[in-house]
C-alpha cells in the first residue's frame, strides 16, 4: 500500500496535563509529519526526519494548520439528529414531547439508513472520528448505524437502547426481546470492522427490574462490551427513579445492584451525586460523562469535574446531541469551560484538548488505538485552522503561544475550523 505523509504542525498528548506548564504531557512539532500506511501511523516526527525515511511517500501539506488526533464524543444519540434545538422543556418533558416521537421513526429501515448517513456526515464535518452512540430501541437503527460506520471505516461504538416501560407504544421492547436483539446485534457487529457494541439500558426509568436482570445477564455474557446509560441528570428524574426503585439506596445503587458498574461503564451526566454514589464510582471505576451543552440547554445542572477528579475518578466529555446543542467537541469544550468557571474551576486548553482526544480514548479503553498520533495507532487525524473565521483571525494576530491558540479554537471554533478529517488515513471531509 502507498505510503502517505501528512505535513503540518503536530500536537499529540502522552498523559493528561497536570497544568498549563506540564510540557512532558504532550509533543508539539512546528514542522511535523505523520507517515501513514494501511490506515496506521508508521512514523511521527519532524518533516525533515520523516520525509528522509520515506522519500517516495505521497505528501499532503497542511501547513500552517494544526494536526491532532480525531475528536472522540463519549455520549451522543444517533436518532436525535432532528431533535437538536427543541424549545422550552427540561429532561422528562423533553423526552416525552420531542425525543420519543422522533425515535419512533427509526422503526423504518429507510429512515434509519438515511439519517445514519446524515449523522455521520455531521460527525465528520465537526472532526469527530469516534463516538459512543445511543441508537433507538429498534434493531434497524443499530444496523443502519453500524453499516454506515463500517462503510466509512470509522471506529464507532453504539448500541440499541433497552427500554421496556414509561415510553409510548412502538418504543418499548420487552426484557426478552431486548435481550435477544442485543445478543444478535453483538454477534453481528461487535468487532466487525472497527465497531464495538455497547450494552445500552437507556436509564432506570425506562427499564423494569425484569429488564435490568436481563441486562445483567448480557453484561456477564459479553464482558468485553462497554455499558452506557444515564445517571442523575435532573431532580425530577432522580425523584421518579427513587419511586420506581424504592429499595435502592440511591440512583447509582440500581445500576450497581444489577452488576453494571466497572471501568467499562459510561454514565452520562452524573450531575447530582450523593457522597455514597461518589464512593461507589471510586470503588467500581465507572466513568461519569460530562455533557455541558446539554446540561445548560435542559437546565440540568453543573457537573463537578474537579470534585470527582479529586477522588480519582476519570470523567469523559461529550456532546449528548440532541439535548446537546452542537456536534462540535470544540463547542462542547467551550461550554464546558463556562460550566466549570461557574464553579471556580478553570479548564486549561491543554487539558481540554487532551480530554476530547486521548482522555476520552482512555475512558473507552482505546488509548492504544485512537486518541493520539502515536506510532502504531489508527490514523484518525483532524486538521484545525485557527483562523477559520474573521473573528478568530483577528484574535489569532495577538496570540503568542500554543495554549493561547488552543483556547481560541476552543472558545471560538466550530466545524469551520475543521479543515480536513482523516479516517484510517483516508481524507473524508474535503
Ligand atoms: N435520559 C434518558 N434518555 C435521555 C436522552 O435521550 N437524553 C438525555 N439528555 N438524557 C436522557
Ligand atoms: Zn444522553
Amino acid at each position: 500500500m502507498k505510503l502517505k505523509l501528512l505535513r503540518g504542525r503536530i500536537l499529540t498528548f502522552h498523559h493528561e496535563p497536570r497544568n498549563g506548564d506540564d510540557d512532558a504531557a504532550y509533543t508539539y512539532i512546528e514542522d511535523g509529519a505523520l507517515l501513514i500506511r494501511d490506515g496506521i501511523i508508521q512514523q511521527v516526527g519532524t518533516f525533515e526526519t520523516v520525509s528522509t525515511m520515506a522519500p517516495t511517500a505521497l505528501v499532503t501539506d497542511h501547513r500552517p494548520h494544526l494536526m491532532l488526533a480525531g475528536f472522540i464524543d463519549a455520549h451522543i444519540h444517533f436518532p436525535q439528529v432532528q431533535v437538536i434545538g427543541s424549545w422550552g422543556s427540561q429532561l422528562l418533558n423533553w423526552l416525552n414531547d420531542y425525543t420519543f416521537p422522533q425515535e419512533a421513526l427509526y422503526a423504518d429501515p429507510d429512515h434509519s439508513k438515511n439519517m445514519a448517513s446524515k449523522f455521520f456526515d455531521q460527525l465528520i464535518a465537526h472532526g469527530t472520528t469516534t463516538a459512543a452512540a445511543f441508537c433507538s430501541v429498534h434493531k434497524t437503527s443499530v444496523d443502519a448505524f453500524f453499516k454506515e460506520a463500517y462503510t466509512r471505516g470509522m471506529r464507532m461504538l453504539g448500541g440499541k437502547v433497552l427500554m421496556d416501560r414509561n415510553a409510548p407504544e412502538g418504543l418499548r421492547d420487552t426484557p426478552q426481546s431486548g435481550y435477544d436483539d442485543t445478543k444478535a446485534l453483538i454477534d453481528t457487529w461487535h468487532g466487525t470492522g472497527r465497531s464495538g457494541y455497547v450494552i445500552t439500558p437507556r436509564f432506570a426509568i425506562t427499564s423494569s427490574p425484569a429488564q435490568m436482570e436481563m441486562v445483567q445477564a448480557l453484561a456477564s455474557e459479553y464482558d468485553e462490551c462497554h455499558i452506557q446509560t444515564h445517571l442523575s441528570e435532573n431532580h425530577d428524574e432522580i425523584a421518579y427513579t427513587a419511586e420506581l426503585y424504592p429499595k435502592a439506596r440511591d440512583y447509582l445503587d440500581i445500576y450497581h445492584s444489577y452488576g453494571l458498574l466497572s471501568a467499562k461503564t459510561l454514565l452520562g451526566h452524573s450531575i447530582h451525586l450523593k457522597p455514597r454514589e461518589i464512593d461507589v464510582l471510586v470503588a467500581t471505576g465507572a466513568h461519569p460523562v460530562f455533557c455541558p451543552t446539554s446540561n445548560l440547554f435542559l437546565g440540568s445542572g453543573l457537573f463537578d469535574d474537579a470534585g470527582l477528579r479529586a477522588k480519582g475518578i476519570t470523567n469523559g466529555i461529550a456532546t449528548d446531541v440532541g439535548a446537546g446543542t452542537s456536534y462540535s467537541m470544540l463547542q462542547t469544550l467551550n461550554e464546558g469551560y463556562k460550566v466549570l468557571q461557574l464553579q471556580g474551576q478553570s479548564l486549561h486548553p491543554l487539558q481540554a484538548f487532551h480530554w476530547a482526544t486521548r482522555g476520552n480514548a482512555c475512558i473507552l479503553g482505546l488509548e492504544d488505538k485512537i486518541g493520539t498520533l502515536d506510532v502504531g495507532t489508527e490514523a484518525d487525524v483532524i486538521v484545525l485552522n485557527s483562523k477559520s473565521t474573521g473573528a478568530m483571525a483577528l484574535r489569532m494576530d495577538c496570540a503568542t503561544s500554543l495554549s493561547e491558540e488552543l483556547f481560541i479554537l476552543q472558545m471560538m471554533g466550530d466545524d469551520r475550523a475543521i479543515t480536513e478529517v482523516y479516517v484510517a488515513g483516508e481524507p473524508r471531509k474535503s
Side-chain angles (χ1 to χ4, degrees), residues 153-428:
M154 294 175 77
R155 181 163 287 287
M156 277 291 150
L157 302 171
K160 171 199 124 64
V161 288
L162 293 145
M163 45 195 291
D164 69 342
R165 65 172 179 185
N166 291 320
E169 182 69 36
L171 270 189
R172 293 191 303 268
D173 53 12
T174 66
Q176 191 62 50
S177 74
Y179 175 86
D180 293 342
D181 284 353
T182 299
K183 235 172 137 51
L185 287 164
I186 292 172
D187 291 344
T188 306
W189 291 114
H190 188 68
T192 300
R194 300 173 71 197
S195 296
Y197 195 86
V198 187
I199 297 167
T200 308
R202 184 178 203 123
F203 66 159
I205 289 178
T206 48
S207 285
S208 66
Q211 177 154 76
M212 283 300 193
E213 276 177 35
M214 290 302 214
V215 177
Q216 180 166 26
L218 285 167
S220 64
E221 276 174 71
Y222 295 102
D223 62 359
E224 68 276 27
C225 290
H226 283 82
I227 297 174
Q228 62 185 353
T229 187
H230 296 87
L231 174 72
S232 295
E233 177 176 2
N234 164 291
H235 292 298
D236 291 344
E237 171 213 17
I238 295 167
Y240 188 27
T241 302
E243 273 176 42
L244 292 168
Y245 284 92
K247 291 198 188 118
R249 282 175 285 188
D250 44 50
Y251 197 156
L252 191 60
D253 196 36
I254 301 166
Y255 301 139
H256 197 203
S257 66
Y258 288 103
L260 304 184
L261 300 184
S262 76
K264 289 184 105 75
T265 309
L266 308 172
L267 299 162
H269 307 292
S270 303
I271 299 170
H272 309 288
L273 299 177
K274 302 195 171 80
R276 200 204 74 87
E277 293 177 293
I278 295 172
D279 291 343
V280 171
L281 290 175
V282 173
T284 58
H287 302 287
V289 180
F290 177 26
C291 305
T293 71
S294 166
N295 298 161
L296 294 174
F297 179 72
L298 292 179
S300 301
L302 305 179
F303 181 85
D304 182 11
D305 182 54
L308 295 171
R309 275 165 192 267
K311 300 277 184 180
I313 294 166
T314 324
N315 305 317
I317 186 160
T319 64
D320 192 33
V321 162
T325 51
S326 172
Y327 290 87
S328 170
M329 289 304 291
L330 295 171
Q331 280 307 297
T332 300
L333 294 170
N334 168 10
E335 301 289 294
Y337 177 82
K338 296 168 188 168
V339 167
L340 301 182
Q341 277 285 77
L342 283 167
Q343 301 170 91
Q345 304 171 20
S346 298
L347 175 64
H348 191 278
L350 285 167
Q351 294 168 329
F353 277 79
H354 171 269
W355 206 356
T357 55
R358 185 181 170 279
N360 274 348
C362 288
I363 69 148
L364 296 170
L366 291 173
E367 68 273 25
D368 58 334
K369 294 188 171 64
I370 56 171
T372 71
L373 301 178
D374 289 351
V375 170
T377 64
E378 298 166 354
D380 292 344
V381 182
I382 56 176
V383 183
L384 294 159
N385 176 6
S386 315
K387 298 184 176 180
S388 55
T389 66
M392 289 172 79
L394 262 178
R395 176 64 183 86
M396 274 296 293
D397 282 345
C398 296
T400 56
S401 68
L402 173 66
S403 289
E404 218 177 327
E405 177 179 2
L406 293 177
F407 196 54
I408 291 164
L409 277 164
Q410 173 183 345
M411 301 314 291
M412 303 175 77
D414 53 28
D415 53 323
R416 292 168 291 181
I418 312 292
T419 297
E420 185 55 281
V421 178
Y422 291 90
V423 173
E426 295 298 324
R428 295 289 185 195

Side-chain angles (χ1 to χ4, degrees), residues 2-22:
K2 191 92 189 97
L3 278 170
K4 286 182 190 171
L5 190 151
L6 308 184
R7 184 175 188 180
R9 293 187 296 130
I10 284 180
L11 175 64
T12 184
F13 292 94
H14 312 304
H15 61 76
E16 184 185 3
R18 278 175 277 277
N19 53 49
D21 299 322
D22 189 357

